[in-house]
């Protein structure tokens, strides 16, 4: 087995990066020496950011150079972004390639799913769908110096040719329950623009970006087509994104329990699901019972749609600790 140097980097306004954390956890399982980095052009949930938008962080050419110097040490560099951070990703990728043309760059995240033709022009490969199984297939082939060019959910740029592979079926609930929990730990680095270098991620960094909350995602998918939501675009790619999929109740409870040990100061759990409330009432009842018994912290549900809300569901969740909900509005009446 060949030992390769793997680096994972999230570039976004904050450190939530739930999709990135899922794939990073798989990478750590495949290669425990995988190094994980966060680059934060801003802090989306900081009141300071919203009060003084003109003081938003701006990375200079010097910052890009320092970042690239570290990331270019990798044999395999995996970058994750949403679209707002894509311009930074492109600058960093180009700088890395100038420093080390041999570094293979795999770019993933929602930007690559929604804008693959643009993203593939910068990276050696992009992930155009759910990445858990494709990354595992790709990584093993890349590590063992075997052909990886037919990996599903991935496109590859080979000289002037682009190889566009097909999309595999979305992960099933059983498959979702088999994945390692999201990567959450202090064993990672963050770029500190004040000192112009990467440094160890600390408790204070967690507090600065997440406060006293633990942020996670249990369910995926949504049957509705609200055009302000990324899931609307995903449905245009694959109709199965309309389906609600989620791992077992025990899986999500154990994930939260594990991270409360790492961050014992957590006082609130936030679910970023697109439509949490669409779950069948039977599953909500089981979740509410187990959450109250095993976690017993206040929690927030962001995924609420009026067409699927029932008094019974809200009552079950409220008794379990839900104290806030968030509902998007498609249009005013």
């Amino acid at each position: 087995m060949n030992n390769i140097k793997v680096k994972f980097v999230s570039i976004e306004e904050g450190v939530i990066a739930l999709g990135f954390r899922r794939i990073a956890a798989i990478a750590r399982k495949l290669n425990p020496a995988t190094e994980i980095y966060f680059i934060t052009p801003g802090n989306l949930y900081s009141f300071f950011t919203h009060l003084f938008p003109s003081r938003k962080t701006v990375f200079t050419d010097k910052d890009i150079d320092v970042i690239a110097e570290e990331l270019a040490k990798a044999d395999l560099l995996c970058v994750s972004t949403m679209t707002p951070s894509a311009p930074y990703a492109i600058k960093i990728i180009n700088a890395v390639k100038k420093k080390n043309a041999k570094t293979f760059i795999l770019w993933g995240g929602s930007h690559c799913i929604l804008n693959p033709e643009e993203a593939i022009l910068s990276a050696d490969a992009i992930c155009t769908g759910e990445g858990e199984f494709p990354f595992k297939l790709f990584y093993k082939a890349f590590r063992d110096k075997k052909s990886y060019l037919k990996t599903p959910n991935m496109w590859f740029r080979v000289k002037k040719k682009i190889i566009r592979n097909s999309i595999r079926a979305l992960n099933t609930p059983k498959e979702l329950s088999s994945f390692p929990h999201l990567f959450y730990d202090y064993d990672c680095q963050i770029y500190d623009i004040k000192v112009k270098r990467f440094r160890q991620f600390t408790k204070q960094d967690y507090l600065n970006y997440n406060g006293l909350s633990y942020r996670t995602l249990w369910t995926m998918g949504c049957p509705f087509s609200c055009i302000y939501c990324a899931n609307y675009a995903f449905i245009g790619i694959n109709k199965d994104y309309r389906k609600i999929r989620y791992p077992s109740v025990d899986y999500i409870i154990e994930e939260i329990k594990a991270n409360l040990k790492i961050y014992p100061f957590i006082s609130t759990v936030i679910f970023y699901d697109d439509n949490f409330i669409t779950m069948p009432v039977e599953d909500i009842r089981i979740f509410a019972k187990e959450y109250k018994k095993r976690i017993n912290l206040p929690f927030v549900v962001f995924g609420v749609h009026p067409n699927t809300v029932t008094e019974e569901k809200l009552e079950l969740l409220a008794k379990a600790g839900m104290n806030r909900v968030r509902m998007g509005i498609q249009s005013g009446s």
Side-chain angles (χ1 to χ4, degrees), residues 10 12 15-24 132 182-184 214-218 255 270-273:
S10 166
E12 71 168 50
V15 297
I16 299 173
L18 298 175
F20 170 80
R21 290 180 180 279
R22 190 183 301 278
I23 308 301
E132 291 85 352
L182 302 178
F183 167 82
Y184 267 108
Y214 173 69
R215 301 167 192 261
T216 189
L217 183 92
W218 184 20
E255 176 196 308
I270 300 179
F271 291 95
Y272 275 80
D273 308 40

Side-chain angles (χ1 to χ4, degrees), residues 94-113:
N94 290 339
V96 168
K97 281 296 186 181
K98 286 181 180 179
K99 290 181 179 294
N100 184 0
K102 293 182 179 180
T103 296
F104 189 98
I105 299 177
L106 170 60
W107 189 1
S110 59
H111 180 72
C112 295
I113 297 174

Side-chain angles (χ1 to χ4, degrees), residues 8-10 17-25 36-38 78-80:
F8 264 66
V9 57
S10 166
L18 298 175
F20 170 80
R21 290 180 180 279
R22 190 183 301 278
I23 308 301
I36 297 172
Y37 301 81
F38 290 92
C78 301
V79 180
S80 175

Side-chain angles (χ1 to χ4, degrees), residues 284-285 287-289 291-293 296-299 311-323:
I284 288 179
R285 184 177 289 110
F287 166 79
K289 179 182 177 182
Y291 186 93
K292 183 68 174 177
K293 181 171 68 176
N296 197 29
L297 284 175
F299 66 94
E311 186 174 348
E312 183 180 12
K313 288 179 179 180
L314 288 180
E315 186 174 346
L316 286 166
L317 292 170
K319 287 182 178 178
M322 183 181 74
N323 62 5

Side-chain angles (χ1 to χ4, degrees), residues 78-97:
C78 301
V79 180
S80 175
T81 68
M82 292 189 285
T83 297
S85 299
Y88 279 121
I90 292 170
K91 287 182 180 180
I92 291 168
I93 289 170
N94 290 339
V96 168
K97 281 296 186 181

